[in-house]
Amino acid sequence: MTTDVKMFSSEHGKSRKNFISRFFDFIGTDNLSLMIALFLLILFVTVFSSWVGLSGGNRFFTWQNLMNSLAQAIVIVGLLALGETVVALAGAMDISVGSIASCGSVVSTSVLVGTGAIGSLGIFPQNSTFWAIVAGVLIGMIAGFINGFIVTKLHVNATVATLGTMAAFAGAAFLLAPDGKPIGVVTQQSFTWLAQGRLWQDSAIPAMNGSKWTGIPVLTVILVVVAIIMHVLMRYTTFGRNVYAIGGNATAARLAGINITSMRIRMFMISGAISGLAGVLLASRTTSGNPINGQGLEMQAITAVYLGGASTNGGKGTIFGTIMAVLIVGVLNNGMNLLGFNTFVQKVALGMLLVAAVAISQYRIIQSEKARKKVEK
Amino acid sequence: MPIQEKENISTAVLTCETGGLPPGSLQIKNVSKAFPNVQALNNVSLDIKAGEILAFVGENGAGKSTLLKIINGDYQLDSGELILDGQPVKFANPYEAHAAGIRVIYQEPEIIPGVDVAENIWVGELPKKFGFIDRQKMNQVVKDNLEEYGFASVVPAHLMGDQLSAAQRQLVEIMRALKSDVKVLALDEPTSSLSDEEVDRLFTLVRKLRDNGIAIIYVSHRINEILKLCDRVAILRDGELITIRPASELSEMEIVHLMVGRELSDVFVRNRVSSGKEMLRVENLHSRWHKDISFHIKTGEVVGFAGLVGAGRTELAKVLFGEYQKNRGKIFLDGEEITVRNSNDAITKGIGFSPEDRKREGLILIRSVLENVSMVIIKKLSRFGFVNRTKERLQAVKFVDRLDVRTPSLEQEVGKLSGGNQQKVVLARWLAAQPKLLILDEPTRGIDVGAKAEIYKLIDQLANSGLAIMFISSELPEILGLSDRIYVMQNGHITGELSGEEATEEKILKLAMAEDLSDTKIAEPRINETEPSE
């Protein structure tokens, strides 16, 4: 038996795997299928579409399209989906993220120009992009705390609770705006730079299909930074571990000493904070703190989360998967734009994608349960 | 001796087949049923004659409930057949069994709280007139039935479901069964929550039903009741029918002896030296489930907690672990009085708890072995919230090796391991946490014999290393084989304490099934139990 033990230790104490297998460990098999799906989708948009008589696919691989359209379009939904992933991994759902984004939009711009319910209080200095961002994120955190409080202390099912707060926060966004009207911020150049600015414009990157390199949008960089932070949070911290544990089996997690109430409140606050940030960026992009800014965005975010492999029961899924799914949703929308489908068709396609994503998630759960039963027999 | 008896039975069954049974009898022929890692029933044959009361007795896990569930269509049999009235029958679900005239009445009947007795009795087949419920007919039939069996005063037909006592619920369930044409009626532990007077009433009813030609199966742990009521007794052990005899030929001692039956094998190791100082002391603990519980556990000691299902042992463990609240009483750990508010609190104070249902309460089945093992110690392995993954792996490997958990890798999903290895993962988690007191609730449930022996060895090693172990088990051989001392619980009390040397299965069973020693009874210990919110 001692030899067995030794073999086991050397095998698992220090893993010496080659690069490729480590790469696949990092991605995971679920995410590999997402990468293949993305690849096929791009292939369809760029190559197959012309075979069925659709034109426009050749414009996909241009810097103009990739950096101006695609990279910017995915940011807001991407951020919302990142926050939503944390909640989904713990086995819950937050459908108020779009409304929280609206609040973030209104509050950040109202602080920026000193109008509206919160801006006129004068808590934060005016004309400061930094404090505008802080205010937007903070209102998101407060909204998230309210969600967490309702779920944990009032014992309301998370979906129902956030359905209620979705309506409430959407209304609150109007109440926070002066007379319910959008707050214009066109003149605030450092604020609009968040959405319109470019980084690494001067890099000597060659043109692609005749379209010149114009830099990476600041927006996209923000998404990447937040995604990395969330990846680290979920993978390398006790917080992340506990989220997975609660999603996997809340009773067992509680009996292992995890404070479920505090964890749930914290994860809703994280989701809220990121949604608030998304709202700030929305305001910057549209140059206005409009209370309807975030409406309907939760739908796309939730689609991305479940498409990204998060289990509807919780406990399974990765940040990487969510980002892949955000890309798929982005390419789908972008490709359909290029190929000339109108927005109604896009909505139908997105709805079907959500159903397909959840169906696949359920299929995975059933498969893994079957595999488990097999082992037992 | 058991083998010889089994031969007798099979010949007995053969004669029964040739000799005609009265119409309405149920024959069970060569029925087997296996669950993962457990052979719940092995080739059981017996017949329940119309107009007799047949008792099923056996220890927990002997196969009584499985047999009832097969008769009721809850479970499908692996092999063998059921013959009702001379016709082979197969039930895909309980409805088909009901339709054929078989009714099993479980310990805790399903009563709809918001409707009255009459409607509860008619539920599913409400009488209709012009598409509306025919209340008049409904009430009349119920009233007639209740009067016929002498229960009109006991169960007023207008009471609502949630106003009913345990005994009344039982009667409503029986009335439900009688309303339709019932041939076989099975009662599972019907008296466990009844007072003496109610038991007498129930017996009168059951005898009346027998005289009306119904075949009655009566499952109970209370042997004196069985001898009083039943015509024949079938004794089950480890999924096999040991014997079936007229009740008049059996004594209480004989039944207990036949139920227990086996010799202690040498799977139990006891290498540990004598025990040390007192680690846990509980004084006069009262809770919703418990009355005046006092006991102690020393370091290096394995203390067994025996008792029937529902005696309050799991609840006691959960009170100690902070899951449930105590009302009164004191708990001392390592000489200091402690109050445990929740599981986190318990862990910090040095208590570990391996729950009875490892899949529902113990493990995160869809996560890895690594994550499951390091769950409790993850805070200690972290700095500023970041997990030290090298340390984590080293710790996990250490305990996975020490417990010899057989897994292809630390990344393996725990749900894909066998039951024994899953249990070892739970134990590894608690060993890593280095508790002072470890509570093991049914640690060998549902795992195979080989894995059981390994767990026994491990428990001995743990005690030897100075841990105080509270060992809850419903399997008497392992309680006897492992424990230094044994507390026997019944109905929320500790009814006795036995030293390892003096304890025998007979003594434990007697204490576990003793008639209530005190007049004060904890009512309905398991009904309406609400768990704290997650």
Side-chain angles (χ1 to χ4, degrees):
Chain A
M1 195 201 281
T2 24
T3 50
D4 278 3
V5 171
K6 270 185 186 159
M7 250 172 62
F8 188 88
S9 308
S10 59
E11 200 179 324
H12 300 288
K14 270 185 186 172
S15 54
R16 285 183 200 282
K17 292 174 178 169
N18 64 23
F19 173 76
I20 295 172
S21 72
R22 259 194 300 187
F23 178 71
F24 281 117
D25 276 359
F26 173 75
I27 298 175
T29 42
D30 290 354
N31 291 338
L32 191 68
S33 53
L34 282 172
M35 288 173 87
I36 293 170
L38 180 62
F39 176 75
L40 289 176
L41 188 63
I42 293 173
L43 207 62
F44 178 81
V45 171
T46 54
V47 182
F48 300 150
S49 62
S50 60
W51 299 357
V52 292
L54 294 165
S55 64
N58 57 341
R59 278 184 284 139
F60 183 82
F61 277 117
T62 57
W63 288 127
Q64 166 71 23
N65 181 54
L66 291 181
M67 286 302 153
N68 281 8
S69 306
L70 183 61
Q72 297 203 31
I74 61 170
V75 172
I76 306 299
V77 171
L79 284 174
L80 295 180
L82 286 174
E84 186 74 50
T85 305
V86 180
V87 179
L89 288 177
M93 178 142 60
D94 180 355
I95 50 180
S96 68
V97 289
S99 297
I100 295 178
S102 297
C103 289
S105 270
V106 170
V107 169
S108 63
T109 49
S110 81
V111 163
L112 194 65
V113 299
T115 63
I118 289 180
S120 49
L121 290 176
I123 311 167
F124 301 106
Q126 278 182 37
N127 299 321
S128 157
T129 302
F130 173 76
W131 287 108
I133 297 174
V134 169
V137 171
L138 215 56
I139 195 76
M141 274 173 88
I142 294 168
F145 177 80
I146 294 171
N147 281 336
F149 183 85
I150 295 172
V151 171
T152 56
K153 299 291 180 187
L154 307 182
H155 307 287
V156 179
N157 167 288
T159 312
V160 179
T162 54
L163 182 69
T165 56
M166 175 172 81
F169 296 152
F174 279 93
L175 294 176
L176 291 170
D179 303 324
K181 293 201 183 77
I183 305 164
V185 287
V186 188
T187 52
Q188 300 278 351
Q189 287 188 349
S190 72
F191 184 75
T192 52
W193 175 82
L194 290 174
Q196 281 148 19
R198 299 281 170 139
L199 295 174
W200 300 292
Q201 269 169 294
D202 303 329
S203 305
I205 290 170
M208 191 197 288
N209 291 336
S211 117
K212 269 195 226 157
W213 169 258
T214 51
I216 296 177
V218 177
L219 268 184
T220 314
V221 175
I222 294 174
L223 175 66
V224 171
V225 170
V226 174
I228 290 171
I229 292 172
M230 294 310 290
H231 174 78
V232 170
L233 181 72
M234 295 314 292
R235 211 177 156 98
Y236 300 101
T237 69
T238 47
F239 175 84
R241 283 299 178 75
N242 291 349
V243 168
Y244 280 111
I246 291 173
N249 184 344
T251 310
R254 189 186 65 233
L255 285 172
I258 295 172
N259 185 338
I260 295 193
T261 305
S262 122
M263 281 296 301
R264 287 210 166 125
I265 291 179
R266 278 195 278 170
M267 83 204 190
F268 274 109
M269 284 174 77
I270 287 176
S271 169
I274 297 178
S275 308
L277 176 66
V280 175
L281 301 180
L282 262 173
S284 166
R285 204 170 160 209
T286 57
T287 66
S288 102
N290 194 331
I292 62 159
N293 259 347
Q295 256 178 33
L297 290 175
E298 60 280 334
M299 163 79 184
Q300 296 190 42
I302 291 167
T303 305
V305 170
Y306 292 125
L307 183 65
S311 156
T312 38
N313 295 353
K316 285 242 140 168
T318 54
I319 293 292
F320 187 83
T322 296
I323 288 295
M324 290 307 295
V326 166
L327 281 173
I328 290 176
V329 173
V331 170
L332 186 74
N333 282 331
N334 178 259
M336 287 174 82
N337 273 335
L338 291 177
L339 299 174
F341 291 102
N342 63 33
T343 49
F344 308 119
V345 180
Q346 290 183 26
K347 280 198 170 175
V348 173
L350 194 69
M352 281 160 58
L353 192 64
L354 173 60
V355 175
V358 174
I360 292 169
S361 158
Q362 292 296 341
Y363 177 76
R364 280 191 194 131
I365 292 170
I366 292 163
Q367 287 302 309
S368 76
E369 268 166 15
K370 270 187 193 160
R372 226 173 280 146
K373 276 182 191 147
K374 234 184 206 169
V375 173
E376 275 173 14
K377 278 173 189 166
Chain B
M1 162 199 57
I3 298 164
Q4 206 182 350
E5 272 163 6
K6 264 174 64 193
E7 280 168 358
N8 288 345
I9 307 154
S10 44
T11 49
V13 168
L14 278 173
T15 52
C16 279
E17 273 169 5
T18 46
L21 290 167
S25 304
L26 177 70
Q27 286 170 275
I28 295 166
K29 275 172 94 179
N30 309 99
V31 164
S32 294
K33 173 79 188 170
F35 294 110
N37 305 322
V38 184
Q39 185 72 36
L41 285 177
N42 191 8
N43 203 19
V44 172
S45 297
L46 53 87
D47 45 70
I48 303 118
K49 292 180 211 152
E52 77 161 348
I53 305 173
L54 175 68
F56 285 0
V57 294
E59 284 183 277
N60 296 327
K64 299 166 301 192
S65 312
T66 312
L67 196 52
L68 284 191
K69 285 190 168 155
I70 284 177
I71 294 172
N72 195 37
D74 288 318
Y75 291 161
Q76 307 306 311
L77 37 79
D78 294 343
S79 63
E81 59 180 341
L82 300 178
I83 297 170
L84 182 64
D85 245 348
Q87 300 291 320
V89 284
K90 248 192 179 149
F91 307 126
N93 53 50
Y95 305 104
E96 291 185 20
H98 293 180
I102 293 180
R103 283 282 187 155
V104 176
I105 292 165
Y106 292 112
Q107 230 165 332
E108 282 159 34
E110 302 280 333
I111 300 291
I112 305 163
V115 304
D116 65 12
V117 165
E119 214 167 321
N120 258 303
I121 291 175
W122 278 92
V123 68
E125 323 158 84
L126 296 170
K128 286 192 187 129
K129 201 176 184 181
F130 312 123
F132 292 94
I133 296 168
D134 187 351
R135 279 219 150 256
Q136 218 183 343
K137 182 182 170 194
M138 192 167 87
N139 289 334
Q140 197 53 51
V141 172
V142 167
K143 233 177 127 196
D144 291 349
N145 271 340
L146 285 173
E147 266 164 24
E148 187 192 336
Y149 295 109
F151 287 102
S153 59
V154 187
V155 192
H158 63 271
L159 273 187
M160 300 299 271
D162 49 7
Q163 296 172 314
L164 299 176
S165 72
Q168 289 170 324
R169 286 158 172 264
Q170 207 102 45
L171 286 170
V172 167
E173 181 78 16
I174 294 173
M175 288 299 150
R176 248 184 217 168
L178 296 181
K179 188 174 50 59
S180 53
D181 179 26
V182 67
K183 290 173 182 157
V184 180
L185 183 69
L187 302 162
D188 186 10
E189 294 282 350
T191 58
S192 60
S193 44
L194 303 191
S195 70
D196 289 352
E197 194 193 337
E198 288 166 333
V199 168
D200 285 343
R201 258 202 206 112
L202 180 81
F203 282 7
T204 316
L205 170 66
V206 172
R207 289 197 186 102
K208 204 167 196 171
L209 295 175
R210 170 191 60 191
D211 299 340
N212 288 356
I214 295 176
I216 291 170
I217 300 170
Y218 189 87
V219 180
S220 179
H221 281 297
R222 300 188 176 176
I223 293 170
N224 56 345
E225 284 182 3
I226 284 173
L227 291 176
K228 221 158 87 187
L229 178 73
C230 300
D231 303 312
R232 288 194 302 155
V233 181
I235 295 166
L236 291 150
R237 187 203 307 151
D238 295 334
E240 298 190 14
L241 179 67
I242 298 305
T243 184
I244 183 163
R245 288 193 208 164
S248 52
E249 291 175 13
L250 285 163
S251 73
E252 197 169 332
M253 276 319 290
E254 240 174 311
I255 292 179
V256 170
H257 188 74
L258 286 165
M259 274 167 68
V260 173
R262 70 204 122 176
E263 297 305 309
L264 286 188
S265 51
D266 53 3
V267 294
F268 302 106
V269 239
R270 245 200 267 197
N271 292 326
R272 52 185 182 274
V273 253
S274 66
S275 43
K277 60 168 180 165
E278 192 172 270
M279 181 49 79
L280 175 76
R281 170 166 211 88
V282 173
E283 285 179 0
N284 310 102
L285 182 132
H286 292 250
S287 81
R288 235 180 91 198
W289 299 273
H290 305 107
K291 208 168 175 331
D292 209 12
I293 298 270
S294 298
F295 66 93
H296 68 276
I297 302 175
K298 292 182 200 151
T299 56
E301 198 179 32
V302 178
V303 176
F305 278 73
L308 303 175
V309 172
R313 294 169 300 159
T314 296
E315 289 79 5
L316 181 60
K318 287 192 170 173
V319 169
L320 294 178
F321 198 62
E323 269 283 281
Y324 296 151
Q325 296 303 308
K326 68 175 188 332
N327 294 336
R328 269 187 289 148
K330 289 177 177 173
I331 301 170
F332 298 89
L333 189 72
D334 210 0
E336 275 173 59
E337 186 177 353
I338 54 166
T339 32
V340 187
R341 264 171 272 112
N342 51 44
S343 51
N344 191 22
D345 216 17
I347 291 165
T348 324
K349 284 173 176 142
I351 303 175
F353 173 47
S354 157
E356 164 183 37
D357 186 341
R358 63 174 169 270
K359 289 186 184 173
R360 216 177 61 77
E361 301 189 310
L363 293 165
I364 317 284
L365 291 174
I366 56 172
R367 303 304 300 178
S368 67
V369 171
L370 177 75
E371 284 177 38
N372 272 284
V373 170
S374 62
M375 253 175 112
V376 173
I377 52 164
I378 197 84
K379 260 189 205 153
K380 286 187 207 152
L381 297 171
S382 307
R383 265 186 98 185
F384 309 120
F386 286 86
V387 181
N388 183 333
R389 307 227 297 172
T390 323
K391 252 196 206 165
E392 186 194 14
R393 281 194 92 78
L394 287 175
Q395 282 285 316
V397 166
K398 185 171 138 197
F399 288 101
V400 161
D401 278 354
R402 185 166 157 203
L403 271 71
D404 199 18
V405 180
R406 264 149 260 157
T407 169
S409 78
L410 287 179
E411 276 69 38
Q412 177 77 355
E413 265 183 37
V414 167
K416 290 181 181 163
L417 300 180
S418 71
N421 280 309
Q422 287 184 359
Q423 188 62 51
K424 286 186 194 166
V425 170
V426 179
L427 291 178
R429 174 197 294 166
W430 289 112
L431 293 199
Q434 296 176 312
K436 297 171 182 169
L437 166 73
L438 183 57
I439 306 170
L440 302 173
D441 193 358
E442 305 283 358
T444 62
R445 171 170 293 176
I447 66 179
D448 62 70
V449 184
K452 274 185 184 177
E454 286 180 61
I455 302 246
Y456 298 148
K457 211 167 98 191
L458 191 77
I459 292 175
D460 180 61
Q461 282 172 11
L462 292 178
N464 209 3
S465 70
L467 222 68
I469 294 176
M470 175 174 175
F471 175 56
I472 301 173
S473 172
S474 295
E475 291 187 32
L476 288 180
E478 65 180 32
I479 283 264
L480 286 167
L482 278 175
S483 310
D484 298 304
R485 276 182 306 125
I486 297 160
Y487 290 101
V488 185
M489 286 184 72
Q490 190 219 1
N491 209 4
H493 300 274
I494 287 183
T495 47
E497 179 189 345
L498 300 164
S499 74
E501 294 81 46
E502 65 173 323
T504 60
E505 301 208 14
E506 283 84 356
K507 278 185 190 166
I508 292 177
L509 272 174
K510 267 205 135 161
L511 286 167
M513 296 193 280
E515 288 304 296
D516 290 331
L517 297 178
S518 72
D519 298 323
T520 38
K521 196 171 170 185
I522 316 273
E524 303 166 41
R526 294 183 70 109
I527 294 171
N528 296 333
E529 172 181 328
T530 46
E531 285 204 25
S533 66
E534 283 159 10

